[in-house]
Each structure stands twice: as structure tokens, then as C-alpha cells.
């Protein structure tokens, strides 16, 4: 009998649930709307229980979720979403009720660390020791594997909130981040593009000046994160990066900013095409990463 | 008979060599000028050989050095300083000749990763899993331990070269970094302060406006590195930070910039005094870290 894991990608608007053992071996998948915690978690549990009835017990359950989170295993609120800006979802225990209801060991991490893990297991980061996964969409979030383990540190990274140069004469837009104004997320997330140009990002044609500016900000963010973490690869996902024409622009900007200082063929030469890449799992990195988290939890 | 390790902190102007087993158990220490590679390495080897004659073989030798370095153990130039701006020192094999001459296993890392390791072993980072060591002096460099191991990644971090906001109206100074102009090092290293105010940094009084601006840049850099790495502690060393009045200014700026987003008592409260700290080993973190590297090399 095959061994199956559950994966939950918990987002602010939807919950993506899947059961299986990998990208080519999923037996069920569902998208449920994110409403109240009680209602949403009950529906998520019902989905996984139905799958257990059909396919047998889950060997592990992985949860990759929006945050911020308590990832400190010694903490009484381990497994909780903590002080989130999403109404009703602060101080919600995610790992506890799901693990108890499904009788499975639970792996719990940020949505972006889960996606990084998915890329490591089956996607564009296989075999790497230290790499970066950045998602650029309604927000900007970063996950990383460092020295072979997801990066947590004191809490978890908040890579979208690094500060980058912002020339207010060239771009007077103040930024959309409620906490920081013009941090990376404030300047370069999808909503920032939409607000700056008074037009949804996905409707801007590839030759619109929005994209050169976007590449400038993303290039500054990625170059700083390369200096901070020295990743072996940088994976850029999320809705904004589905504009594939952004990749060559961001690569060129990273190379211009580093200016030959980081002496690596991967960055100095055309090999940068294989250094700054889209996710191998595309938009499924998150939920597949949650399954990989479940796999890790099962392994203890 | 006690077990001794050798430690070499290799800098652009001097080589600090020590033999011993820890901060309270050093049997010899020397400072040798950095001249040509052949001359300098011969003197370093002569020092350690004399110590071996007096105290017996070294169980391991650690080298923490200025870079950039080749840290890839699979590379034919592992253990080399690579393309450095220091004349004569590009493509110099450091680990090979020293290990061969002294017959000891060699640990090899950046000067800042070695200092981080020293702080981990005996200083301000004992018991931590993920932390950051930043030195602010003639340059700005960062080392880190992440998930219990020194952070290398693709090459090694170059944290001094992250980009930070720079308001050219408030501070028209273009920055001193030969590669990037106004990166963190370009704006906030000792030479940057000296050039901006036409006066050596150490001669500026504590109430000089230089320090508020310095705290602004260091705060931006540290806040971004906190977002990137989520360190459990941030250690700030180097000559510029010997201006102890900078610590409260930098802490206040980090807190202002993060603006409550990273929900941690360590940052939100007065506990930040124990979060952003000077090195426990002071100026000796580098050479003691090299001894800790030697200890690790001896352990295999």
C-alpha cells in the first residue's frame, strides 16, 4: 500500500490541500476559501479525513502557511499564526488541531519555506545546500534552505521587508507597505505596481516602463540577498514573476549592481540564466512543499 | 600534555598568530606585518614551527583570512585567496603551504566567519544556532552561523555590500566602495566616515552629526540583515563600533525601521540591548575564532 502525505498551503484567500507522495503522485487536491479560522479549519480537516477514509492514514501532514508564525518548538504557542494583519487569524493554532484530528505528525513552516522545500525535493533546487526562494505577488516573501535545513533563526526571515535604494525624484511613489512604506514589498509587490501605475500589473504591456523600474527594485533586493546569504541559486516565483520577460531584466540588474565583485562564473557569465530561475514546480511549489514538509515530519 | 591549536587571523596589514586552546589558555601570540605572500607566509610558518618545537605538534590550524576566498572543497584552488584587490595577493594558496609545513589539519574560512565562530565558542553567541557577526572598520564584513554551521553558500557572504537607502539630498557623499559606490560599506565604513567629514572617524566627537548618520546607515543594514537571516543575535564589532555610543543609536534605528513588524520581545522591548551587542571577545574574536577553526579541523 502506498504511503501518502497531506500538504496544506494556507493562504489569506484560499487553502490548497493535497494528498499524495509527490508531483506525479497526487491522489486528491482541493481549494477551499479562507473564511473564519473555525470554519476553514473544519473544512480542511473534513477534506483530509475523507482522504484518509479512501486511502488510509496519512504518514505525515505538512502545513506551509501565511504568517507570522511561532516556529519555536519550545514555545507554548508553537504551531500558531501569531500577530497577523489578517482579521480574525491572530493567535490561531494551526498545527495542534490538524495534527490531533488527523492523528498524523505535523510539519509546520512558512508558506515560502515550504515552497523552498518543495523546490529542493522536486524542483529547481535539487541537490543544493543553500538557496533562496522569493515569491513576488500580493506580497513579497522569502524562504531559504541554508546548510541543508530551512532557515528559521530567531523567528523566520521576512525578506520582503528589506530596505532598498529608492530614488524619490525618479519614482515619487511612497510604497504600499503598511509597516515600512517603501521596503522591497512596498515598492515591488503586485499591489505596489498596480497602485503606482493605476492599472493592475498583469495588464501592463511588456514594453511599459513599469517593468524596467520593477527589475531595478527586484535586482536591488536580489543583489542584497545574494550578498547576505550567498545562495547557490535564486528562485523567483509568484504572480508578478509569471511575467517571464522580467527574468532577463532582473538578471541584468543583479549583474550590474554586483559589478563583478562576487567572482563567480554563475553570476559573471551567461550562466546567470541558470542562477536566477523560475520555480521548477511553477505555482505548485507551495502545496508540494507542504507535502515535503509532511514527509519530513513522518521521518521524525 | 595539553592539546594546542594554531590560529591565524590574516589581514591586509598584519597577520595575528596565536597558539593555545582558548581565550584563557594562549601560550603564544604574534603580530607580523603583511608584506609579500612568500615573505609573510614564511614568517607565519616560522612562528608556528617555533611554537611546535616548544609545545609539541599542533592538533589543528585555523585560518581566518581577508578574501575573497575559495571555500569549495572540491575545487583545485580550495584554500586560496582569489581575486583580491590587495596587490600581489590574488590566487595565493593559504591553506596548502601552511598545512603542509606544519603537518596539521587546516580549517579555512573568512576572517568574519572565523570571528563569528570565536564568538560562538567563547563569546557573545554561545548556545545560539543562527546569528550574525558584522565588523565595521576599514571595510564592512559579515559572518554568520546558520543552523549550527558557518554560512558559506555558493561562495561566502559579502554582507558589507548590500544596498541601502541613500538620500543624496541629505547626504551627497557618493560612497567609497570601488565596486559599488554607495553600498553599506561605501557609506558606513571607517574610511567612508573619514572621507565624508574630512576627518578621521576616531577624531569625531560623540555629538558630531556624523554618528547619527552612521547609525542611520548601520541601522538600515542591520534591519535588512535581520529580515534576510532572522538571526538570534547580532554582534557588531570592528574599529568603528569601538565608539560605544553608537550602540544605542543603532538599536533605536533598527527598531524604528522594523516598526513593530518583527514581533519579538528581543526587538520590540529594551531586551534589544541584549540582541544587538558588541563582541564578547572584543578585538580578539578573529584570532580566537581561528583557533576555534583549528579545533574544528582537528575534530575532522
Amino acid at each position: 500500500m502506498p504511503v501518502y502525505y497531506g500538504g496544506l498551503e494556507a493562504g489569506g484567500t484560499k487553502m490548497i490541500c493535497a494528498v499524495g507522495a509527490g508531483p506525479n503522485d497526487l491522489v486528491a487536491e482541493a481549494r477551499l476559501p479562507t473564511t473564519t479560522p473555525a470554519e476553514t479549519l473544519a473544512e480542511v480537516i473534513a477534506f483530509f479525513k475523507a482522504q484518509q477514509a479512501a486511502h488510509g492514514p496519512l504518514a505525515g501532514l505538512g502545513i506551509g502557511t501565511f504568517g507570522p508564525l511561532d516556529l519555536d518548538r519550545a514555545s507554548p504557542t508553537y504551531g500558531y499564526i501569531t500577530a497577523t494583519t489578517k482579521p480574525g487569524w491572530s493567535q490561531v493554532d494551526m498545527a495542534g488541531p490538524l495534527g490531533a484530528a488527523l492523528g498524523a505528525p505535523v510539519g509546520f513552516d512558512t508558506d515560502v519555506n515550504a515552497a523552498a522545500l518543495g523546490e529542493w525535493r522536486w524542483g529547481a533546487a535539487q541537490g543544493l545546500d543553500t538557496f533562496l526562494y522569493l515569491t513576488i505577488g500580493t506580497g513579497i516573501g522569502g524562504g531559504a534552505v541554508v546548510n541543508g535545513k530551512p532557515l528559521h533563526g530567531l523567528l523566520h526571515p521576512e525578506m520582503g521587508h528589506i530596505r532598498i535604494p529608492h530614488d524619490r525624484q525618479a519614482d515619487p511613489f511612497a510604497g504600499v507597505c503598511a509597516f515600512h512604506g517603501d521596503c522591497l514589498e512596498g515598492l515591488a509587490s503586485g499591489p505596489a505596481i498596480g497602485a503606482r501605475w493605476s492599472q493592475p500589473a498583469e495588464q501592463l504591456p511588456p514594453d511599459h516602463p513599469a517593468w524596467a523600474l520593477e527589475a531595478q527594485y527586484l535586482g536591488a533586493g536580489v543583489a542584497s540577498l545574494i550578498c547576505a546569504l550567498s545562495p547557490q541559486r535564486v528562485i523567483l516565483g509568484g504572480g508578478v514573476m509569471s511575467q517571464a520577460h522580467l527574468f532577463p531584466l532582473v538578471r541584468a540588474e543583479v549583474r550590474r549592481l554586483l559589478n563583478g565583485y562576487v567572482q563567480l562564473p554563475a553570476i559573471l557569465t551567461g550562466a546567470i540564466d541558470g542562477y536566477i530561475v523560475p520555480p521548477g514546480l511553477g505555482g505548485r511549489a507551495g502545496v508540494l512543499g507542504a507535502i515535503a514538509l509532511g514527509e519530513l515530519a513522518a521521518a521524525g
Side-chain angles (χ1 to χ4, degrees), chain A residues 5-8 48 58-63 98-99 102 104-108 290 293-294 297:
Chain A
Y5 308 92
L8 168 62
F48 284 116
L58 299 174
L61 173 74
I63 304 172
L98 282 163
L102 302 173
V106 174
F108 183 73
L293 263 178

Side-chain angles (χ1 to χ4, degrees), chain A residues 62-80:
Chain A
I63 304 172
T65 175
F66 70 94
L69 308 180
D70 187 343
L71 298 177
D72 175 4
R73 286 177 186 275
S75 160
T77 55
Y78 170 77
Y80 281 52

Side-chain angles (χ1 to χ4, degrees), chain A residues 43 73 76 97 100 122 189 249 280:
Chain A
E43 288 196 25
R73 286 177 186 275
W122 298 295
S189 61
L249 299 179

Side-chain angles (χ1 to χ4, degrees), chain A residues 103-199:
Chain A
V106 174
F108 183 73
D109 215 323
T110 61
D111 43 9
V112 278
N113 264 349
L117 201 62
E119 289 293 314
W120 199 35
R121 184 71 175 85
W122 298 295
Q126 291 175 61
L128 301 183
D129 188 58
T130 299
F131 69 92
L132 182 61
Y133 175 96
L134 211 60
T135 178
I136 301 111
T138 45
I140 296 185
V145 167
V146 176
N147 289 333
K149 292 200 288 189
L151 174 59
H152 293 152
L154 182 59
L155 180 66
H156 46 69
E158 290 286 1
M159 299 190 198
H161 297 274
I162 64 171
R163 304 281 173 152
I164 58 169
H166 174 201
D167 180 344
R168 284 173 185 267
Q169 286 192 287
D171 173 26
F173 182 66
V176 298
C177 177
F179 287 86
H180 310 122
D182 63 349
C183 64
L184 178 60
E185 176 171 302
L187 289 173
S189 61
I193 303 172
R196 181 185 291 111
W197 302 100
S198 306
Q199 207 180 143

Side-chain angles (χ1 to χ4, degrees), chain A residues 14-299:
Chain A
K14 61 183 181 295
M15 300 272 154
I16 306 179
C17 310
V19 169
N24 304 313
D25 187 14
L26 290 188
V27 296
E29 211 168 339
R31 286 167 181 252
L32 309 167
T34 302
T35 60
T36 65
E39 186 176 62
T40 308
L41 293 184
E43 288 196 25
V44 167
I45 288 169
F47 166 81
F48 284 116
K49 283 207 164 175
Q51 298 308 314
Q52 286 189 318
H55 303 289
L58 299 174
L61 173 74
I63 304 172
T65 175
F66 70 94
L69 308 180
D70 187 343
L71 298 177
D72 175 4
R73 286 177 186 275
S75 160
T77 55
Y78 170 77
Y80 281 52
I81 294 174
T82 58
T84 180
T85 51
K86 183 161 174 69
W89 282 82
S90 285
Q91 302 306 329
V92 169
D93 185 2
M94 297 289 282
L98 282 163
L102 302 173
V106 174
F108 183 73
D109 215 323
T110 61
D111 43 9
V112 278
N113 264 349
L117 201 62
E119 289 293 314
W120 199 35
R121 184 71 175 85
W122 298 295
Q126 291 175 61
L128 301 183
D129 188 58
T130 299
F131 69 92
L132 182 61
Y133 175 96
L134 211 60
T135 178
I136 301 111
T138 45
I140 296 185
V145 167
V146 176
N147 289 333
K149 292 200 288 189
L151 174 59
H152 293 152
L154 182 59
L155 180 66
H156 46 69
E158 290 286 1
M159 299 190 198
H161 297 274
I162 64 171
R163 304 281 173 152
I164 58 169
H166 174 201
D167 180 344
R168 284 173 185 267
Q169 286 192 287
D171 173 26
F173 182 66
V176 298
C177 177
F179 287 86
H180 310 122
D182 63 349
C183 64
L184 178 60
E185 176 171 302
L187 289 173
S189 61
I193 303 172
R196 181 185 291 111
W197 302 100
S198 306
Q199 207 180 143
E202 59 273 24
Q203 291 175 14
L204 296 166
D207 60 353
H208 193 283
W211 300 116
L213 188 64
E214 177 71 5
Q216 186 184 313
Y217 292 139
L218 292 179
V222 169
S224 281
L225 290 169
I226 289 172
C227 288
L229 281 159
S230 193
Q232 293 163 315
R233 193 163 293 151
V234 178
I235 303 172
L236 301 181
V240 170
M241 295 310 297
S242 66
Q243 307 275 340
H245 60 87
L246 263 178
F247 278 91
L249 299 179
V250 171
R251 290 178 190 126
E253 186 65 11
V254 167
R255 202 185 296 179
R256 187 184 75 76
L257 285 170
L258 292 177
N259 194 26
Y261 188 73
V262 178
Q263 289 283 326
L264 282 163
I267 294 171
L268 296 174
T269 72
I272 197 170
D273 291 356
Y275 182 71
I276 298 177
V277 301
L281 300 173
R284 303 177 74 215
V287 68
L288 289 167
I291 286 190
L293 263 178
E295 205 179 39
L296 281 183

